[in-house]
Amino acid sequence: MRQPDNLFSARALRLIAAAIVVVNGFFPAVWILLTSLKTEAELVRKPITWLPHELVLNNYVQAFTDQPLLKYLGNSLVVALVSTAVSLVVAALAAYAIARLNLRHRQLVLTCIVASSMFPLVTLLVPIFETMRHLSLLNTYTALVLPYTVLSLPVCTLVLVSFFQSIPKDLENAAMIDGCTRLGALWRVVVPLAAPGVFTAGILAFVNAWDEFLLALSLNASASMRTLPVGISLYQGEFTFPWPVISAALVVAIVPIAVLIALFQERVVGGLTQGGLKG
Amino acid sequence: MNALDRLRDPSDRTLAVLMLAPAFLLLALIVVYPIGRLLWNSFFDLRLSGGGEARFIGFENYLLVLTDKDFWNATRNTVLITLITVPGALVVGLALALLANLPFRRQWPVRLALLLPWALPLAFAGLIFAWFFHSEYGVVNDLARRLGGSAPRMWLLEPAFAFAAICLTIIWKTSSFMALILLAGLQMIPKSLYEAAEVDGASRWQQFWQITIPMLMPSIIVALIFRTITALQTFDIPYTMTKGGPGNATETLAMLIHKTTIDYLDVGYGSTLAVFMFLLSLVVTGFYLRRIGRNA
């Protein structure tokens, strides 16, 4: 229905639209990258410069030496990976039972698991802190892995239930006729076929754990146990704010997650819309 | 069947219970028990710093909360942040989704631009935007100066402006999640609806209000519910941007609970504050669930 002379303007409109979305999404990260490459002297120049006049990498060196950034990175990785693995195992078991087994009240069971994400984590902070303190788990990986697993349980279960339901039951039955036990069939047939779903749920769980701040700040406050968000928020002194160094640390912390979502965009979007969770 | 066989190939019912057990054990430990504990604690004078025994004081904490100026200030801030940033993120997210839904030859830059803010930790968004709003070296004041030559604002040092800066940051950070959910909803609307409307002579504007918005309603409601629940928990962004300041102009309920419990180790009173917050989110989710019930 479009007129030929509209073609150009339609294309221009699309480009403007793309530019708005891309600038909105990327500008903060790009600005931090630019800041991390500026010298301290350039940073306090007025009026401020947008592009660095000379590129320096010194801020990155300082980011690693001023604070144990590598340690923070390691802590975040361990906590995120372990809690992702545990969430996936726990959620996969529950999702299989809900999707496949002869279970009464399956809807109620699923609702119970999903409803747990409705409780504000902040209100549970006090008793979780108390429990971890009693169990002498403050400043350990376990103190974060347990709540993070629960944090991701609803979305992982939702994504996996819909994946399990999409796998034909006959495949499993065939395996069982061929002599597999029910669990054997689950392990050899269902899990490989559900791999894309497991992967999607895994990314969502990883991002949840990688981003969490309040529990990490409250439960693992000691320097050697801090995760990235907590560690980086503590670069500021009482009166000082070493922006170039903070920016460098932020770039180091943002790159892994940015690469992860860039590589697996479609999976992440699919998982988000299936699970429809978390802001 | 002997016991070993049964272990290797259990009945459906047994298997279901075994498979659900880990999830429910974890939920019991991290959600159910803490809720019970929270209620229990709220009736005690329980300070971990003093080393004294917990003392049962009935509803004293609750009465104290009701007359606590800090509590009302934090509640007001939390409710205001929710009322401003949830509709704000919806409007910005809808605009982003409509823009991102245009037929681009390459989809990935646009999709990545929506995913990046979503995946960015809230704490990082707070740090980055604190730098944006820096009164002397921030890019916001620089842009304002270039565009309108207005005098630089001490964004994070004036209560109203610090509050506005925090709301803008939250809207930026959360609108991309809204956009992702709404984009998925947009792509499910059948093209034929728009073609039929075009034949009937409906304008773009009419199509938007008569087709897009009604068809998008389920996605909008899902996005609103989750955004509202997370908005009530706002902590990371004000904590990293202003630490609640200036004064306590940007202190939220979550920050007050954190300060009371973790910094001052006043578990009893902190628990009571958490119970009030719990009630607040219950009222809000109840409101949404009723609306959904009516729509369904």
Side-chain angles (χ1 to χ4, degrees), chain B residues 175-224:
Chain B
S175 56
S176 62
F177 165 75
M178 285 268 186
L180 284 164
I181 301 292
L182 298 181
L183 185 57
L186 281 176
Q187 286 169 350
M188 291 204 300
I189 303 177
K191 288 259 181 331
S192 57
L193 284 179
Y194 292 102
E195 284 156 14
E198 201 121 330
V199 171
D200 290 346
S203 69
R204 278 285 164 96
W205 189 245
Q206 283 170 320
Q207 290 175 29
F208 177 73
W209 285 108
Q210 310 284 337
I211 302 174
T212 311
I213 292 296
M215 293 293 284
L216 213 52
M217 250 328 165
S219 312
I220 291 178
I221 290 180
V222 167
L224 278 182

XYZ file of all heavy atoms in Angstrom, chain B residues 175-224:
390
model
N 13.001 -0.099 32.098
C 12.148 -0.001 30.907
C 12.548 -1.027 29.858
O 11.718 -1.452 29.056
C 12.185 1.417 30.326
O 13.511 1.776 30.052
N 13.809 -1.460 29.856
C 14.214 -2.410 28.826
C 13.596 -3.791 29.086
O 13.251 -4.496 28.150
C 15.728 -2.505 28.732
O 16.242 -2.974 29.938
N 13.415 -4.136 30.359
C 12.720 -5.386 30.684
C 11.265 -5.311 30.213
O 10.742 -6.234 29.578
C 12.777 -5.644 32.193
C 11.805 -6.695 32.670
C 12.051 -8.030 32.443
C 10.658 -6.329 33.350
C 11.155 -8.988 32.879
C 9.755 -7.277 33.787
C 10.004 -8.615 33.553
N 10.631 -4.168 30.502
C 9.266 -3.934 30.012
C 9.225 -4.091 28.500
O 8.351 -4.755 27.954
C 8.839 -2.490 30.342
C 8.503 -2.266 31.772
S 6.750 -2.543 31.978
C 6.532 -2.047 33.657
N 10.198 -3.460 27.832
C 10.210 -3.470 26.368
C 10.339 -4.896 25.838
O 9.674 -5.256 24.867
C 11.352 -2.595 25.847
N 11.170 -5.712 26.477
C 11.352 -7.096 26.021
C 10.049 -7.882 26.117
O 9.666 -8.603 25.204
C 12.433 -7.791 26.850
C 13.876 -7.396 26.526
C 14.821 -7.832 27.627
C 14.297 -8.008 25.197
N 9.348 -7.728 27.248
C 8.084 -8.435 27.436
C 7.039 -7.923 26.436
O 6.321 -8.700 25.800
C 7.572 -8.234 28.889
C 8.600 -8.745 29.900
C 6.234 -8.929 29.099
C 8.805 -10.225 29.906
N 6.974 -6.580 26.281
C 5.965 -6.001 25.390
C 6.275 -6.316 23.931
O 5.369 -6.517 23.118
C 5.879 -4.484 25.599
C 5.457 -4.046 27.005
C 5.384 -2.532 27.108
C 4.104 -4.653 27.376
N 7.566 -6.370 23.587
C 7.960 -6.695 22.215
C 7.466 -8.095 21.854
O 6.932 -8.324 20.769
C 9.490 -6.607 22.089
C 10.085 -6.802 20.697
C 9.500 -5.790 19.726
C 11.598 -6.659 20.746
N 7.630 -9.035 22.795
C 7.143 -10.396 22.552
C 5.634 -10.368 22.342
O 5.100 -11.064 21.465
C 7.503 -11.298 23.726
N 4.929 -9.542 23.134
C 3.477 -9.418 22.980
C 3.105 -8.822 21.633
O 2.181 -9.292 20.964
N 3.850 -7.778 21.217
C 3.578 -7.116 19.932
C 3.687 -8.099 18.773
O 2.918 -8.071 17.824
C 4.566 -5.971 19.705
C 4.314 -4.655 20.431
C 5.445 -3.675 20.160
C 2.991 -4.054 19.992
N 4.707 -8.976 18.878
C 4.950 -9.876 17.759
C 3.911 -10.980 17.660
O 3.861 -11.694 16.660
C 6.369 -10.442 17.863
C 7.379 -9.353 17.491
C 8.805 -9.709 17.806
O 9.078 -10.698 18.477
N 9.737 -8.893 17.322
N 3.083 -11.102 18.688
C 2.044 -12.126 18.635
C 0.728 -11.588 18.075
O -0.201 -12.343 17.841
C 1.823 -12.729 20.016
C 3.025 -13.565 20.441
S 2.647 -14.810 21.649
C 2.034 -13.849 23.001
N 0.644 -10.260 17.857
C -0.596 -9.688 17.305
C -0.642 -10.008 15.807
O 0.287 -9.683 15.078
C -0.646 -8.159 17.523
C -0.522 -7.833 19.017
C -1.945 -7.589 16.960
C -0.488 -6.356 19.320
N -1.732 -10.660 15.331
C -1.809 -11.025 13.915
C -1.813 -9.784 13.006
O -2.531 -8.820 13.288
C -3.152 -11.767 13.805
C -3.590 -12.035 15.190
C -2.923 -11.063 16.083
N -0.987 -9.831 11.956
C -0.903 -8.711 11.006
C -2.257 -8.433 10.349
O -2.572 -7.301 10.002
C 0.116 -9.039 9.911
C 1.558 -9.010 10.361
C 2.214 -7.722 9.925
C 3.677 -7.624 10.321
N 4.102 -8.328 11.517
N -3.057 -9.509 10.198
C -4.319 -9.377 9.481
C -5.250 -8.359 10.142
O -6.042 -7.696 9.473
C -5.013 -10.732 9.387
O -5.205 -11.249 10.682
N -5.134 -8.214 11.461
C -5.973 -7.249 12.176
C -5.728 -5.837 11.656
O -6.640 -5.064 11.431
C -5.683 -7.306 13.682
C -6.254 -8.484 14.454
C -5.858 -8.397 15.910
C -7.768 -8.513 14.328
N -4.420 -5.513 11.472
C -4.079 -4.167 11.011
C -4.511 -3.966 9.563
O -4.982 -2.899 9.181
C -2.566 -3.930 11.144
C -2.105 -3.872 12.572
C -1.468 -4.943 13.161
C -2.333 -2.733 13.340
C -1.053 -4.904 14.480
C -1.931 -2.673 14.652
C -1.286 -3.769 15.226
O -0.894 -3.722 16.527
N -4.358 -5.043 8.748
C -4.762 -4.936 7.343
C -6.260 -4.669 7.239
O -6.703 -3.812 6.475
C -4.372 -6.217 6.591
C -2.887 -6.271 6.287
C -2.368 -7.693 6.085
O -3.198 -8.606 5.927
O -1.136 -7.863 6.096
N -7.020 -5.404 8.046
C -8.475 -5.207 8.031
C -8.826 -3.788 8.455
O -9.677 -3.131 7.857
C -9.147 -6.221 8.956
N -8.134 -3.292 9.489
C -8.401 -1.943 9.987
C -8.073 -0.904 8.919
O -8.784 0.079 8.747
C -7.588 -1.680 11.249
N -6.986 -1.165 8.177
C -6.568 -0.252 7.117
C -7.659 -0.161 6.039
O -7.992 0.924 5.573
C -5.260 -0.736 6.495
C -4.515 0.356 5.770
C -3.130 0.540 6.359
O -2.936 0.303 7.565
O -2.244 0.910 5.598
N -8.205 -1.334 5.694
C -9.277 -1.375 4.684
C -10.473 -0.554 5.173
O -11.096 0.186 4.410
C -9.691 -2.841 4.404
C -10.944 -2.872 3.521
C -8.558 -3.587 3.736
N -10.738 -0.675 6.470
C -11.866 0.073 7.029
C -11.567 1.549 7.201
O -12.403 2.311 7.660
C -12.262 -0.513 8.395
C -12.892 -1.883 8.231
O -13.246 -2.220 7.091
O -12.992 -2.623 9.233
N -10.340 1.948 6.887
C -9.985 3.358 6.926
C -9.594 3.867 8.304
O -9.683 5.062 8.573
N -9.161 2.982 9.193
C -8.747 3.420 10.527
C -7.360 4.069 10.457
O -6.482 3.588 9.727
C -8.706 2.234 11.476
N -7.177 5.155 11.174
C -5.879 5.827 11.175
C -4.897 5.037 12.045
O -5.289 4.151 12.799
C -6.019 7.241 11.718
O -6.321 7.183 13.100
N -3.607 5.379 11.904
C -2.572 4.732 12.722
C -2.896 4.845 14.221
O -2.756 3.914 14.981
C -1.206 5.420 12.474
C -0.506 4.943 11.244
C 0.070 3.568 11.499
N 0.434 2.888 10.281
C 1.658 2.884 9.773
N 2.613 3.533 10.372
N 1.918 2.232 8.663
N -3.333 6.034 14.595
C -3.653 6.340 15.984
C -4.789 5.458 16.485
O -4.723 4.882 17.584
C -4.006 7.826 16.066
C -4.160 8.358 17.455
C -5.303 8.840 18.017
C -3.129 8.472 18.443
N -5.052 9.244 19.292
C -3.729 9.037 19.594
C -1.766 8.157 18.488
C -3.013 9.285 20.760
C -1.062 8.404 19.654
C -1.674 8.957 20.769
N -5.832 5.337 15.621
C -6.968 4.479 15.998
C -6.535 3.025 16.103
O -6.937 2.311 17.009
C -8.096 4.616 14.951
C -8.888 5.896 15.096
C -9.809 6.121 13.918
O -9.453 5.863 12.764
N -11.007 6.604 14.196
N -5.677 2.597 15.141
C -5.197 1.217 15.176
C -4.462 0.951 16.486
O -4.604 -0.104 17.095
C -4.259 0.943 13.998
C -4.965 0.903 12.665
C -3.987 0.742 11.518
O -2.916 0.156 11.680
N -4.336 1.268 10.366
N -3.643 1.944 16.922
C -2.876 1.788 18.153
C -3.794 1.563 19.352
O -3.598 0.640 20.143
C -1.994 3.023 18.370
C -1.212 2.993 19.646
C -0.119 2.156 19.798
C -1.576 3.803 20.713
C 0.604 2.125 20.974
C -0.863 3.775 21.897
C 0.223 2.940 22.029
N -4.837 2.408 19.450
C -5.716 2.322 20.624
C -6.724 1.186 20.538
O -7.145 0.654 21.553
C -6.445 3.657 20.858
C -5.527 4.675 21.448
C -5.003 5.772 20.816
C -4.971 4.684 22.759
N -4.167 6.455 21.650
C -4.122 5.823 22.859
C -5.100 3.847 23.879
C -3.418 6.131 24.016
C -4.397 4.163 25.035
C -3.565 5.295 25.091
N -7.150 0.847 19.282
C -8.194 -0.175 19.140
C -7.629 -1.583 19.025
O -8.301 -2.545 19.348
C -9.065 0.108 17.900
C -9.599 1.516 17.802
C -10.765 1.756 18.743
O -11.433 0.827 19.153
N -10.988 3.006 19.136
N -6.396 -1.713 18.508
C -5.838 -3.053 18.305
C -4.637 -3.307 19.221
O -4.643 -4.221 20.037
C -5.411 -3.256 16.834
C -6.601 -3.040 15.900
C -4.829 -4.651 16.643
C -6.235 -3.069 14.432
N -3.602 -2.443 19.073
C -2.345 -2.714 19.772
C -2.541 -2.805 21.280
O -2.176 -3.814 21.894
C -1.309 -1.626 19.439
O -1.265 -1.456 18.018
C 0.062 -2.017 19.945
N -3.109 -1.752 21.867
C -3.212 -1.712 23.329
C -4.077 -2.852 23.882
O -3.641 -3.575 24.786
C -3.703 -0.320 23.801
C -2.631 0.737 23.531
C -4.070 -0.328 25.273
C -1.347 0.555 24.305
N -5.293 -3.075 23.341
C -6.085 -4.197 23.892
C -5.392 -5.553 23.734
O -5.403 -6.360 24.665
C -7.383 -4.155 23.067
C -7.451 -2.812 22.477
C -6.055 -2.324 22.320
N -4.766 -5.772 22.564
C -4.119 -7.069 22.344
C -2.886 -7.241 23.237
O -2.446 -8.345 23.519
C -3.689 -7.221 20.873
C -4.821 -7.301 19.885
S -5.795 -8.803 20.061
C -4.711 -10.009 19.316
N -2.318 -6.108 23.667
C -1.087 -6.139 24.453
C -1.372 -6.258 25.957
O -0.462 -6.480 26.757
C -0.304 -4.850 24.168
C 1.222 -4.896 24.195
C 1.753 -5.999 23.327
C 1.793 -3.558 23.762
N -2.653 -6.086 26.318
C -3.022 -6.018 27.738
C -2.438 -7.152 28.603
O -1.881 -6.879 29.673
C -4.540 -5.973 27.899
C -5.093 -4.651 28.372
S -3.972 -3.786 29.442
C -4.587 -2.176 29.510
N -2.522 -8.424 28.173
C -1.981 -9.490 29.024
C -0.484 -9.282 29.316
O -0.058 -9.412 30.467
C -2.192 -10.762 28.196
C -3.283 -10.427 27.240
C -3.164 -8.962 26.961
N 0.289 -8.912 28.285
C 1.720 -8.659 28.502
C 1.928 -7.479 29.430
O 2.804 -7.496 30.293
C 2.429 -8.369 27.173
O 2.088 -9.307 26.216
N 1.120 -6.429 29.239
C 1.264 -5.232 30.076
C 1.032 -5.587 31.542
O 1.786 -5.167 32.420
C 0.282 -4.117 29.623
C 0.706 -3.576 28.244
C 0.212 -2.990 30.646
C -0.210 -2.509 27.684
N -0.003 -6.406 31.793
C -0.320 -6.741 33.185
C 0.793 -7.575 33.825
O 1.231 -7.294 34.951
C -1.688 -7.458 33.270
C -2.778 -6.430 32.963
C -1.899 -8.074 34.647
C -4.172 -6.972 32.994
N 1.300 -8.570 33.077
C 2.407 -9.380 33.609
C 3.602 -8.479 33.936
O 4.170 -8.539 35.033
C 2.832 -10.460 32.590
C 4.163 -11.075 32.991
C 1.768 -11.545 32.498
N 3.952 -7.607 32.989
C 5.102 -6.728 33.197
C 4.869 -5.804 34.393
O 5.769 -5.593 35.206
C 5.379 -5.916 31.938
N 3.643 -5.273 34.519
C 3.335 -4.351 35.616
C 3.453 -5.038 36.971
O 3.987 -4.466 37.925
C 1.927 -3.779 35.455
C 1.776 -2.594 34.502
C 0.335 -2.117 34.495
C 2.698 -1.450 34.919
